[in-house]
């Protein structure tokens, strides 16, 4: 390899994990970011006494602004990003025992929202380089029971929506984008969340736009929007009476305090997203030069990556040390890092044991998740995957350079990592 890319001055110091000097002692940017605008809006809601979505202006304003920013006509604010997936599935008319194709490399909710809609999650493998659903695997997973595809824009990089929409239209399937990582991401000129029939976002604490808890469904389809509105509001319909309920549903409404925070947060999203994308691309370019480090490949359609996570793969062979040792060494250098999702979702006890509670009474007998194999996802979970969290990308280039320098230092001194083996 070309060692000239490595910074010579860090090489003289030992690894921090063995008592050497840390590459980084400063903390990275903290999260959440907030200021006087949040305070003012919160106080205004408090003093107005209008704390519920049906009475105040905040959630309504947010729904409109968020939907518009994400290329959609309608937004329906709900309590979290799991419920938003479930509401979208119900609005799409997914029935008991229908199948919904999902990736296995994602947060639990992508699959459990399907179970909560009493439908069967069918796991289809991801691409090793992009970490997103592999359209070929999706097509292979289609059966006569398939009704929907739920791509996740993993880490904030849009899934291959061109291919997924083509498959969906060929097989007459609904597409619900799980955009919980993808606030502000853009795919071939279109905001993530606006490409499928519906898009779902989360505002949970870690997400790129947050009110602690919260979620939204966006869509440009008037009928789907009306269905979502009804489902998130106890089955009421526009123009109906207060105690008049038309469909099975519940109160899933987002509250005004959260709406107030989200309105303030939303004003920062565009700039924060640009910063994350620019820093993320800079770091990806630097890390790509280190043997055995493979940052999530940027797809041609990805116009803007929202970098909720910065995903990468580690080839342990190149370092002569397992992922766990490399991550520990990185932490010791002052770089917070995570090994990513530890299991493909179908390996979670919940799926292996079909612990579906009251759901899927019929389908359960024919399901056997222990037989599912998604080799790329398994390899990433067991050996290769890792990520940095989004707040690391809110600072400047020197933060990225510190991360890269720490990695370079560890690579240079990789033989020392043998001592870390258990
Ligand atoms: C966070 C997340 C969700 C669920 O959001 P909650 O608001 O926590 O319910 C769904 N899908 C993905 C991919 C997520 O990361």
């Amino acid at each position: 390899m070309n060692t000239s890319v490595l910074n010579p001055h860090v090489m003289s110091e030992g690894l921090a994990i063995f008592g050497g000097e840390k590459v980084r002692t400063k903390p990275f940017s903290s999260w959440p970011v907030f200021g006087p605008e949040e305070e003012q809006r919160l106080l205004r809601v408090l003093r107005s006494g209008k704390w519920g979505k049906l009475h105040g202006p905040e959630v309504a304003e947010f729904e409109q602004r968020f939907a518009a920013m994400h290329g959609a006509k309608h937004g329906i604010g709900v309590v979290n990003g799991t419920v938003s997936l479930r509401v979208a599935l119900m609005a799409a008319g997914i029935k008991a025992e229908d199948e919904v194709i999902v990736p296995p490399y994602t947060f639990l909710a992508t699959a459990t929202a399907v179970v909560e809609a009493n439908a069967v999650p069918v796991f289809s493998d991801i691409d090793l380089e992009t970490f997103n659903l592999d359209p070929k695997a999706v097509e292979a997973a289609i059966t006569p029971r398939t009704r929907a595809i739920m791509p996740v824009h993993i880490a904030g990089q849009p899934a291959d929506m061109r291919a997924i929409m083509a498959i969906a239209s060929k097989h007459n399937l609904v597409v619900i984008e799980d955009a919980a990582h993808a606030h502000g991401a853009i795919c071939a000129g279109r905001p993530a969340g606006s490409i499928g029939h519906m898009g779902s976002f989360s505002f949970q604490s870690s997400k790129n736009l947050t009110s602690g808890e919260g979620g939204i469904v966006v869509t440009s389809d008037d009928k789907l929007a009306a269905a979502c509105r009804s489902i998130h509001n106890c089955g009421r319909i526009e123009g109906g009476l207060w105690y008049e309920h038309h469909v099975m549903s519940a109160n899933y409404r987002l509250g005004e305090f959260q709406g107030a925070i989200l309105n303030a947060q939303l004003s920062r999203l565009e700039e924060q997203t640009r910063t994350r994308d620019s820093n993320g691309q800079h770091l990806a370019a630097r890390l790509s030069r280190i043997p055995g480090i493979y940052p999530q490949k940027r797809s041609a359609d990805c116009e803007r990556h929202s970098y909720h996570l910065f995903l990468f793969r580690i080839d342990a062979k190149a370092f002569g040390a397992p992922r766990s040792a490399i991550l520990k060494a990185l932490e010791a250098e002052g770089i917070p890092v995570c090994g990513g999702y530890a299991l493909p979702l179908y390996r979670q006890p919940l799926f292996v044991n079909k612990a579906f509670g009251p759901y899927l009474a019929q389908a359960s007998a024919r399901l056997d998740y222990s037989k599912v194999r998604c080799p790329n996802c398994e390899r990433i979970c067991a050996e290769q995957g890792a990520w940095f969290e989004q707040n690391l990308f809110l600072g400047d280039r020197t933060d990225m350079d510190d991360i890269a320098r720490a990695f370079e230092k560890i690579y240079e001194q990789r033989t020392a990592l043998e001592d870390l083996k258990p």
Side-chain angles (χ1 to χ4, degrees):
M1 69 150 290
N2 173 12
T3 49
S4 67
V5 299
L6 304 176
N7 188 333
H9 90 262
V10 294
M11 305 317 156
S12 55
E13 297 155 11
L15 293 177
I17 196 162
F18 301 123
E21 211 177 308
K22 284 172 178 246
V23 166
R24 171 102 183 175
T25 47
K26 258 196 337 191
F28 286 91
S29 304
S30 63
W31 186 258
V33 175
F34 58 93
E37 203 191 334
E38 277 83 357
E39 291 179 12
Q40 281 156 18
R41 285 209 185 232
L42 276 171
L43 265 180
R44 199 164 69 197
V45 171
L46 181 75
R47 289 174 178 151
S48 75
K50 294 175 178 162
W51 299 352
K53 177 179 186 178
L54 301 175
H55 306 112
E58 292 287 342
V59 174
E61 178 188 332
F62 173 73
E63 288 175 337
Q64 229 202 341
R65 287 174 63 204
F66 186 88
M69 265 178 80
H70 290 81
K73 202 164 146 196
H74 308 278
I76 300 93
V78 295
V79 291
N80 61 50
T82 308
V83 156
S84 53
L85 291 170
R86 183 184 183 190
V87 167
L89 287 161
M90 290 170 79
I94 301 300
K95 300 182 308 303
E97 322 293 321
D98 284 351
E99 292 179 359
V100 179
I101 295 174
V102 297
Y105 195 74
T106 174
F107 178 61
L108 175 78
T110 311
T112 51
V114 175
V115 176
E116 276 199 297
N118 209 17
V120 177
V122 172
F123 295 98
S124 117
D125 207 0
I126 54 172
D127 180 274
L128 196 61
E129 296 193 279
T130 65
F131 294 72
N132 266 320
L133 267 182
D134 172 1
K136 284 200 267 329
V138 169
E139 189 132 41
I142 291 172
T143 76
R145 288 192 173 98
T146 310
R147 292 288 169 274
I149 309 172
M150 221 151 74
V152 175
H153 303 308
I154 195 73
Q157 162 152 277
D160 188 347
M161 291 307 290
R162 205 189 298 250
I164 288 169
M165 293 312 288
I167 294 168
S169 106
K170 183 169 145 201
H171 297 272
N172 199 22
L173 307 175
V174 176
V175 175
I176 298 167
E177 300 170 66
D178 183 348
H181 296 179
H183 317 70
I186 302 173
C187 175
R190 299 178 67 183
S194 70
I195 306 159
H197 300 91
M198 285 173 276
S200 163
F201 293 84
S202 163
F203 307 126
Q204 177 267 345
S205 313
S206 71
K207 301 294 155 74
N208 289 19
L209 185 75
T210 182
S211 51
E213 308 291 354
I216 197 168
V217 184
V218 299
T219 181
S220 291
D221 182 306
D222 296 343
K223 283 207 182 95
L224 289 174
C228 289
R229 276 201 189 285
S230 178
I231 293 163
H232 96 309
N233 188 23
C234 309
R236 297 186 177 99
I237 54 170
E238 217 185 315
L241 300 172
W242 180 248
Y243 288 119
E244 183 188 321
H245 311 279
H246 290 257
V247 290
M248 179 55 211
S249 65
N251 171 6
Y252 295 129
R253 300 182 304 262
L254 189 65
E256 285 290 284
F257 291 109
Q258 287 154 315
I261 292 176
L262 288 168
N263 273 317
Q265 296 275 309
L266 194 58
S267 311
R268 298 193 183 86
L269 181 65
E270 177 67 20
E271 203 193 321
Q272 288 174 339
T273 309
R274 282 196 199 152
T275 304
R276 289 189 192 97
D277 191 22
S278 149
N279 278 328
Q281 290 191 67
H282 179 71
L283 182 63
R286 284 202 58 171
L287 294 189
S288 306
R289 289 186 244 152
I290 302 173
I293 303 296
Y294 300 98
Q296 180 184 31
K297 186 178 164 193
R298 196 171 176 110
S299 51
D301 277 351
C302 179
E303 219 164 288
R304 195 157 72 181
H305 192 310
S306 59
Y307 282 106
H308 171 59
L309 303 167
F310 181 100
L311 276 172
F312 56 96
R313 289 185 298 121
I314 298 174
D315 179 3
K317 280 199 297 299
F319 278 77
R323 170 180 63 179
S324 58
I326 298 161
L327 299 186
K328 266 189 219 149
L330 207 55
E331 284 276 353
E333 297 296 339
I335 314 295
V337 64
C338 168
Y341 301 118
L343 290 173
L345 284 183
Y346 54 82
R347 289 273 171 87
Q348 290 284 347
L350 151 66
F351 286 104
V352 174
N353 302 325
K354 298 187 279 186
F356 298 143
Y359 302 109
L360 295 178
Q362 306 293 315
S364 198
R366 71 181 159 83
L367 296 176
D368 185 356
Y369 284 99
S370 71
K371 292 216 175 90
V372 179
R373 288 288 173 274
C374 295
N376 289 340
C377 181
E378 289 173 21
R379 192 153 147 205
I380 286 170
C381 290
E383 296 163 36
Q384 297 197 330
W387 67 49
F388 300 119
E389 289 178 359
Q390 52 97 359
N391 62 296
L392 271 59
F393 297 85
L394 288 172
D396 59 27
R397 284 282 160 92
T398 63
D399 292 350
M400 300 302 103
D401 293 337
D402 282 348
I403 299 173
R405 281 203 305 133
F407 247 127
E408 288 161 3
K409 179 180 171 186
I410 293 165
Y411 180 75
E412 273 308 293
Q413 302 187 35
R414 61 192 178 280
T415 49
L417 290 179
E418 282 173 20
D419 300 343
L420 276 184
K421 278 180 189 157

